[in-house]
Amino acid sequence: MNLIGDAIGWIFSGEPGRGFDSIPSAIGVQLLYTVISVVIAGVIAIPLGWFIGHTGKGREIAVAISGAARAIPSFGLLILLTLLLGVLHKPEAAVISFVVLAIPSLLAGAYTGFEAIDRRVLDAGRSMGMTESQILWRIEVPLGLPLLVGGIRAATLQVLATVTIAAYIGLGGLGQYIIAAIPLRRFDILIGGAILVAVLALVIDGLFALLQHLVVPRGIRAAGAASPRARSARQRRAEAVAVGAPASPPTTT
């Protein structure tokens, strides 16, 4: 308990020690690398996942790529890219490593969100005269958003925790307290750094949990009270309308 108390005292002391960045600065670096990496990974993985989920093509390839990416050790990839790109490009090496780590969760969240949609809801949209583009943006994207946010949540937490190793190549962040404190035998700093990483991850996880709940369309929450198998065609049509489909088929002249 004394070590925990010392660690908490170090956190609130406002003086991290000689050679260490301030705690707010370290948190900022941790979040900066996380946000940049997840955004880049999202630009790559989310459109690809939506294409797979909408068309049903390439799912096996996506699963294989995701599995291969998950098997790559982030620390080994970080060191390899640092050696290949050179010490002047350590930030780029770190970002590439974290992007590779984030892509599988984002890709899975994007296409499984579409796959989880009741096909009868899509058929209801088509029967109402919706084009494939309208089905994508008015039905599939809104209904798949909760699982996509879940994928973003998982990717963000994975990257946030892994950014800690960036301190090994001198990029700062909360990992500097853990890595530098070991040879110094400053266990208060080491445990304090670990506590900061854990607390930051819990805060981010809580925010994403709230967001994941909020992105569920209100009409779908109401429709979800009924069993999917017991829904009538009218209920499925109402579910489609709840996410922006037109209330009735377009009239032709």
Side-chain angles (χ1 to χ4, degrees):
M1 286 299 296
N2 287 338
L3 288 176
I4 300 293
D6 292 343
I8 294 175
W10 170 81
I11 292 173
F12 289 101
S13 68
E15 297 180 0
R18 174 182 289 183
F20 294 110
D21 295 334
S22 66
I23 291 177
S25 175
I27 292 175
V29 171
Q30 194 90 2
L31 292 175
L32 178 63
Y33 278 105
T34 300
V35 171
I36 291 175
S37 302
V38 172
V39 168
I40 294 174
V43 171
I44 297 170
I46 293 175
L48 180 59
W50 282 349
F51 172 80
I52 294 170
H54 181 71
T55 64
K57 299 178 181 178
R59 187 181 188 281
E60 294 76 12
I61 297 175
V63 171
I65 293 174
S66 297
R70 292 180 190 276
I72 298 175
S74 300
F75 183 73
L77 181 61
L78 175 62
I79 299 301
L80 176 62
L81 290 175
T82 301
L83 294 175
L84 292 176
L85 299 179
V87 295
L88 296 179
H89 299 282
K90 291 187 291 184
E92 292 88 340
V95 169
I96 293 173
S97 301
F98 304 144
V99 166
V100 171
L101 176 66
I103 283 178
S105 295
L106 293 170
L107 184 61
Y111 73 74
T112 57
F114 282 17
E115 290 180 347
I117 299 171
D118 190 339
R119 297 297 98 181
R120 293 172 294 183
V121 175
L122 303 181
D123 292 339
R126 291 189 177 97
S127 70
M128 294 159 61
M130 298 180 68
T131 65
E132 289 301 312
S133 177
Q134 289 174 323
I135 288 173
L136 172 66
W137 292 107
R138 295 188 180 185
I139 296 180
E140 289 181 314
V141 170
L143 290 179
L145 200 54
L147 283 180
L148 174 59
V149 173
I152 298 173
R153 176 183 180 183
T156 301
L157 293 175
Q158 289 173 337
V159 173
L160 182 68
T162 309
V163 168
T164 305
I165 67 175
Y168 188 81
I169 57 173
L171 295 182
L174 295 174
Q176 64 182 296
Y177 305 130
I178 299 172
I179 293 173
I182 294 175
L184 297 175
R185 300 184 63 83
R186 288 293 305 273
F187 298 112
D188 56 335
I189 298 179
L190 190 153
I191 296 173
I195 291 174
L196 288 172
V197 173
V199 170
L200 183 60
L202 288 173
V203 171
I204 298 298
D205 185 52
L207 293 175
F208 270 108
L210 178 61
L211 178 61
Q212 195 169 0
H213 174 73
L214 293 176
V215 296
V216 179
R218 288 181 295 176
I220 303 307
R221 296 177 196 171
S227 171
R229 293 184 179 180
R231 291 177 189 163
S232 65
R234 180 176 296 180
Q235 287 172 317
R236 291 194 297 272
R237 187 175 297 239
E239 188 171 339
V241 171
V243 293
S248 59
T251 58
T252 57
T253 58

